Amino acid sequence: MEQSSCEQLGEVQEVMIYLSQALVRALIITATGWFTGKKILPIHDISLVRDTDLSIDEKEKLQPFEAAAYEGFADILDRPLMTDSGIRIGVVADLSFDLATGSIEDYVISDGIVTDLVEGRRRLPFQLSRIFQADKIIVADDAAELLLPQ
């Protein structure tokens, strides 16, 4: 949302992460209105976070997304989390990170709509990650014991 006009500019679709440094660098926004398509929003351009809303000072800060410029970055949302021994913990529904530095703190884990509604989503410290694969993330075997309520 642009702060001065309170205009909704789009919805976050992807989180671009530089895995080797465990840093969030940018958000991919699906733009709304006349100029649809993917736009890139570097996290340093976010001026305010309130609940599920992000604000930027000027909508001109949203630039067209060009995949080639973001090689080496990954999006880990919706990837399953598995332990070393193959136990499925859930899927990455969201991340919590420090907006000032981009440092990833926790995974927010979903275990399905019904479980999310009844028990709520859980958090897992990002530091428990062992291996990032294209189709899953491997975490320590004892990770399931360290899940925290969101």
Side-chain angles (χ1 to χ4, degrees):
M1 167 171 45
E2 185 179 32
Q3 277 188 335
S4 61
S5 68
C6 294
E7 174 187 357
Q8 181 176 353
L9 302 174
E11 294 183 11
V12 175
Q13 295 298 310
E14 299 176 55
V15 179
M16 299 304 292
I17 299 168
Y18 196 48
L19 288 176
S20 66
Q21 297 178 359
L23 294 174
V24 173
R25 292 293 190 194
L27 304 175
I28 306 301
I29 309 293
T30 300
T32 58
W34 288 97
F35 301 103
T36 60
K38 288 185 176 181
K39 303 282 185 179
I40 187 89
L41 175 61
I43 64 160
H44 63 266
D45 285 340
I46 299 170
S47 56
L48 179 66
V49 177
R50 187 174 44 244
D51 297 323
T52 59
D53 294 332
L54 304 172
S55 295
I56 59 175
D57 294 329
E58 304 165 7
K59 65 181 171 186
E60 288 75 25
K61 291 185 177 182
L62 287 176
Q63 298 297 315
F65 174 70
E66 297 176 22
Y70 288 90
E71 287 183 30
F73 288 82
D75 178 24
I76 62 174
L77 296 182
D78 298 322
R79 282 196 204 175
L81 283 166
M82 309 288 289
T83 65
D84 285 324
S85 58
I87 298 170
R88 185 180 184 277
I89 295 176
V91 298
V92 178
D94 205 349
L95 296 169
S96 64
F97 62 94
D98 183 308
L99 188 60
T101 64
S103 179
I104 302 170
E105 297 165 350
D106 296 312
Y107 295 108
V108 177
I109 302 169
S110 171
D111 202 17
I113 295 171
V114 174
T115 304
D116 289 354
L117 289 172
V118 174
E119 299 176 15
R121 289 186 171 173
R122 299 164 295 158
R123 293 181 298 120
L124 184 71
F126 185 80
Q127 300 87 315
L128 295 176
S129 306
R130 294 218 195 279
I131 302 169
F132 294 93
Q133 297 178 348
D135 61 339
K136 63 186 168 214
I137 299 168
I138 309 295
V139 296
D141 273 332
D142 61 353
E145 300 166 14
L146 302 172
L147 292 172
L148 306 167
Q150 184 180 3

